[in-house]
Amino acid sequence: MAYTETNRGTNRPISAIFVDLVNQFTTLLRKEGQLARAEMAEKLGEIGIGLGLIVGGAVLLIPALVILLEAAVAGLAAAGLAVGWASLAVGGAALLIGLALLALGVSRLRAGRLLPNKTIEQLQRDAAVAAQQMRTDHDIPERAV
């Protein structure tokens, strides 16, 4: 039963108030659980993207070694550029791209990003509203913090 202004003046038995409290608390927990599940599904999508970026970075790091070897061979064949500089330029670029992808993937997997922040904020708001409701229902003056 939802709380309305008409309920203020009624003298309901404690058992009815307790039943309403349990029903509202159960509904609140069910809704918060649904919110947490939806938010965790969103976070799992972020984990998938992070893992995909890590795999992409790893896939580029392996060919970076191959490119370094091929650059060494090409550098030997080319008369205009020293072998070391050709190998360093091509392999270094692939290595930097791979490391950038790995760093981006790891940053998406940080623990702080995976917390269900919306659910936590909603629970804090619910607690504040419940505390305020208890103060107004029982005409208890609010204490200074």
Side-chain angles (χ1 to χ4, degrees):
M1 178 173 171
Y3 183 81
T4 62
E5 286 296 319
T6 59
N7 290 356
R8 273 186 188 249
T10 62
N11 290 327
R12 297 186 308 155
I14 292 193
S15 61
I17 294 172
F18 183 72
V19 168
D20 282 347
L21 174 69
V22 169
N23 287 339
Q24 290 177 5
F25 183 71
T26 304
T27 302
L28 176 64
L29 287 180
R30 195 174 325 118
K31 295 288 184 184
E32 295 298 342
Q34 290 171 349
L35 176 62
R37 280 192 299 276
E39 193 169 357
M40 287 310 294
E42 179 182 318
K43 298 296 180 179
L44 287 175
E46 289 182 22
I47 290 172
I49 290 171
L51 289 175
L53 290 171
I54 289 173
V55 168
V59 165
L60 279 180
L61 287 176
I62 293 169
L65 294 174
V66 174
I67 291 171
L68 286 171
L69 294 173
E70 289 177 355
V73 172
L76 288 172
L81 191 60
V83 173
W85 291 113
S87 299
L88 184 65
V90 175
L95 183 70
L96 288 176
I97 292 170
L99 288 174
L101 287 175
L102 279 174
L104 184 60
V106 168
S107 73
R108 287 182 172 252
L109 294 178
R110 294 198 193 275
R113 289 182 53 103
L114 301 178
L115 288 175
N117 295 324
K118 294 174 188 170
T119 301
I120 292 170
E121 290 171 8
Q122 184 62 44
L123 285 171
Q124 290 171 343
R125 282 193 300 267
D126 291 345
V129 167
Q132 180 64 33
Q133 187 66 39
M134 289 299 291
R135 282 195 282 287
T136 36
D137 280 353
H138 299 294
D139 296 320
I140 299 173
E142 200 172 319
R143 287 190 214 165
V145 178

